[in-house]
Amino acid sequence: MTEPNTALDACLAEARRRYVERRPESRRLHERAAEAMPGGNTRTVLFYTPFPAVLAKGEGCQVVDVDSHRYIDFLGEYSAGLYGHSNPLIRAAIERALAEGIALGGPNRYEAELAHLLKERFPSIELVRFCNSGTEANLFAVSTARVATGRDRILVFNHAYHGGVFNFAQGSGALNAPFPWIIAPYNDIRSTLALIAEHRVNLAAVLVEPMQGSAGGGCIPAQPAFLLALREVCTRERVVLIFDEVMTSRSSQGGLQARLGITPDMTTLGKYLGGGLTFGAFGGRRWLMERFDPRRPDSIAHAGTFNNSVLAMAAGVAGLTQVLTPSECERLFALGERLREGVNDAARRRGAPLQATGVGSLVGLHFHDRPLDAPDALDRIDAAGRQRRAELKELMHLDLMERGMYYGRRGYVSLSLPMREREIDGFVGAVEEFLESRASLIRL
Ligand SMILES: Cc1ncc(COP(=O)(O)O)c(C=O)c1O
């Protein structure tokens, strides 16, 4: 039996009241938005209670809301904001491209350059094509695997998130694309291999995030042995192994695959690689990708009006050639490790059941008292435990926003290049203040 949550409920009610009182303009805009969009929202992940702060502008690694609260931006646009809000080199590239027309309706001078940059960096990419989002990249990648293998099933993992129509937070999401999915437990080699053995004749692809970023996951890294086992079995059974690196591609110049030394057959990309503009890409082994060559009589068409969006291609090239240098990439990775260690150390010293997970500059914050090596550990929590964790997450989020820290309500943090140790230590300090001031409430 869990005790009634009266103390936590009371603190939460007070934190909500203060939040609402200090954000009249956000509230007014939210109410107006709700007249035309369900819940005032057009991107579910951006909603949180009582209502989200409406953002007016971003500068460097800060955002400012319409009620003039300034925050350090630890959300980093769910990892698409790696370059920060106003990098002069990216802005200059966009302005230069803009001066020559927004959409040209022909190949432009930037797309092949960006393709070469990706091919040079990502070990699995011999040929690449562009699209408009990570969701589309996964849609095209699994479809490519189905055509190439002549098989239809796709194995994914419980709690995976591969896009708006590929959500496996709890089984297969209501809006999921109707592929014949097989859902395996993440980081569980034995069960996964058994499922692959059972479906091998019909299995086209295994689609996996080398670190589960969202859905039920929340920055839970794959164990290298798990990815190696997938690599081995996919080679043996001629199943296409697809790494979704939409989120993790920032882990090194060649993504998490290069850092781990495990090379899939295909890779999907998105987020910051378009310089902060709308972007997606899928690429892989020549034998899989060359079917898209329109010079071939048996070529497959891959369409998309904005696939080679001039502005995104130009911004993407500038980002990779001028901003995300190898040393900057490593610096950002190290900042993430510093944040994770800082939070974990602060929690450990106080015996608080809070832990930071993730890889490099992508961090998940969880109220959990045992090592989180697989997202399924979160499934074993009962309804009351879930409710308490949701309330603690809300309280921490509201408290940290009061301290000028902006991050994802579910406990999502992604860092950006304008950050220095000062910002990281500021975040860790704010978490420590939260753990200190709410000590009596932080138990499971
Ligand atoms: C791992 C992963 N795959 C795919 C996507 C979908 O990308 P997009 O939002 O650009 O469609 C996301 C988005 O968060 C993601 O984290």
Side-chain angles (χ1 to χ4, degrees), residues 263-274:
T263 307
D265 302 305
M266 292 190 84
T267 299
T268 54
L269 301 168
K271 306 278 193 190
Y272 73 92
L273 284 165

Side-chain angles (χ1 to χ4, degrees), residues 18 32 42 46 94 127 135 145 157 166 168 217 232 257 294-295 320 378:
R18 196 180 49 209
R32 175 160 165 70
T42 187
L46 295 187
I94 294 172
L127 292 169
T135 305
F157 294 92
F166 301 117
F168 301 91
E232 245 174 63
Q257 58 192 266
R295 297 168 300 186
L320 289 184
L378 299 168

Side-chain angles (χ1 to χ4, degrees), residues 133-136 138 161-163 209 214 244 246-247 271 279:
S133 68
T135 305
E136 261 191 48
N138 284 314
Y161 182 76
H162 300 290
E209 297 161 88
S214 24
D244 177 345
V246 170
M247 190 100 81
K271 306 278 193 190
F279 179 81

Side-chain angles (χ1 to χ4, degrees), residues 210-211 219 221 248 251 256 259 333 337 340 357-363:
M211 178 202 75
C219 296
T248 55
S251 308
L256 197 42
R259 189 169 274 279
F333 191 92
E337 298 292 306
R340 195 162 22 257
T357 60
V359 173
S361 59
L362 302 168
V363 182

Side-chain angles (χ1 to χ4, degrees), residues 2 194 206 400:
T2 316
V206 170
L400 262 66

Side-chain angles (χ1 to χ4, degrees), residues 109-124:
R109 67 175 95 222
Y110 306 107
E111 66 205 60
E113 207 183 331
L114 187 55
H116 274 287
L117 290 166
L118 298 181
K119 178 178 152 79
E120 283 157 18
R121 279 169 171 72
F122 291 89
S124 60

